[in-house]
Amino acid sequence: MNTPHIDAKPGAFAQTVLLPGDPLRARHIAETLLQDVQPVNRRRNMLGYTGQYQGRRVSVMGSGMGIPSCTIYCTELIREYGVRRIIRVGTCGGVGEVKLGQILLAQSASTDSRINRIGFGGHDLAACADFSLLRAAVEYAEARHLPVRVAPIFSTDSFHDGDPGILGHLRRQRILGVEMEAAGLYTLAQREGVQALAILTVSDHLESGARLSGEERETGLGQMARLALECALRA
Ligand code: HPA
């Protein structure tokens, strides 16, 4: 079976997919946290794998950067491969009082992208996480004292040279993180009737300019991937 962007056999993906932006992170998660791993996609080097986590079949695949790339892959995973649960694991820029290394569970994702308005008659859609995934993530993380915070975030189309006034708006609305995919993922998941959650490590602070080291990012990725796998078992 072939979709325009995924070259995998029918049934190659599990119903749950972890979705980092970077395909090499997908490979790292598969190699370090899954057992019996099979590679399932290589088209455009958007590496995808399926394996087992605690006896459950799970897949992991890169999404690329930005809402268009992420929603292309997710649409095809949902419609053509029967995926029912997508957990993005990524990084975000922090705003306001958040600390570097903190893990944000994105309850809602506002955006400067027009994609949600295009699919919603020009109106503003409230892009929200799946409640049972969010609850499972909170319960697991709190029981283990992981540094998580449930937060509203913002998905931007511009990494460079975006709206120069955006930080003031984000602070005023108490939005704590900026990334580039969740608003599209949440909207698509709601429309398709599947579950989605974005789990994001604060990798840099947009006001102070502080950044995590490579090693600290790696630790964050491991924590998020394990959290994502555990909440997929429970949701
Ligand atoms: N902007 C958008 N996406 C990001 C950022 C950022 O500052 N940091 C990590 N992902």
Side-chain angles (χ1 to χ4, degrees):
M1 177 159 124
N2 261 321
T3 68
H5 305 91
I6 302 174
D7 183 15
K9 296 192 173 62
F13 287 92
Q15 290 202 345
T16 297
V17 177
L18 263 59
L19 199 78
D22 178 353
L24 293 180
R25 288 201 186 138
R27 184 168 79 189
H28 184 71
I29 291 169
E31 285 173 350
T32 55
L33 292 174
L34 303 186
Q35 288 83 47
D36 303 330
V37 174
Q38 299 290 327
V40 291
N41 186 58
R42 290 203 52 176
R43 182 168 288 175
R44 289 178 180 245
N45 287 325
M46 199 54 79
L47 305 174
Y49 303 86
T50 296
Q52 301 275 332
Y53 182 76
Q54 298 193 3
R56 285 271 199 101
R57 202 160 169 259
V58 180
S59 298
V60 53
M61 187 167 113
S63 68
M65 287 179 282
I67 288 174
S69 179
C70 178
T71 52
I72 284 171
Y73 288 113
C74 291
T75 301
E76 294 175 20
L77 286 170
I78 294 164
R79 294 191 187 156
E80 309 298 332
Y81 291 97
V83 168
R84 309 300 298 160
R85 184 180 286 143
I86 298 175
I87 306 177
R88 163 164 157 68
V89 287
T91 58
C92 67
V95 183
E97 74 216 46
V98 285
K99 307 257 182 307
L100 286 185
Q102 193 156 32
I103 298 174
L104 302 184
L105 303 173
Q107 181 173 25
S108 65
S110 300
T111 187
D112 56 16
S113 164
R114 285 194 67 234
I115 194 162
N116 292 346
R117 288 186 179 178
I118 291 166
F120 195 55
H123 305 295
D124 292 321
L125 186 127
C128 299
D130 175 78
F131 179 68
S132 58
L133 273 181
L134 181 60
R135 179 172 53 187
V138 169
E139 287 174 359
Y140 178 84
E142 285 185 346
R144 280 150 194 86
H145 306 292
L146 293 178
V148 300
R149 177 140 181 203
V150 175
I153 63 140
F154 187 78
S155 302
T156 182
D157 277 350
S158 307
F159 187 90
H160 299 292
D161 304 328
D163 171 5
I166 192 66
L167 277 174
H169 294 298
L170 298 178
R171 279 189 80 101
R172 202 156 48 244
Q173 289 301 138
R174 300 175 198 278
I175 285 173
L176 298 184
V178 179
E179 51 82 88
M180 304 186 74
E181 293 82 17
L185 170 63
Y186 285 1
T187 298
L188 172 69
Q190 186 174 333
R191 191 185 311 135
E192 297 289 327
V194 306
Q195 296 177 290
L197 176 66
I199 303 178
L200 307 163
T201 297
V202 179
S203 60
D204 46 279
H205 199 284
L206 298 183
E207 289 156 306
S208 73
R211 323 180 123 255
L212 289 185
S213 66
E215 196 178 319
E216 289 166 330
R217 278 173 184 255
E218 189 90 356
T219 307
L221 176 68
Q223 276 183 330
M224 286 189 293
R226 200 175 288 279
L227 172 57
L229 290 164
E230 292 289 337
C231 79
L233 293 178
R234 289 164 173 77

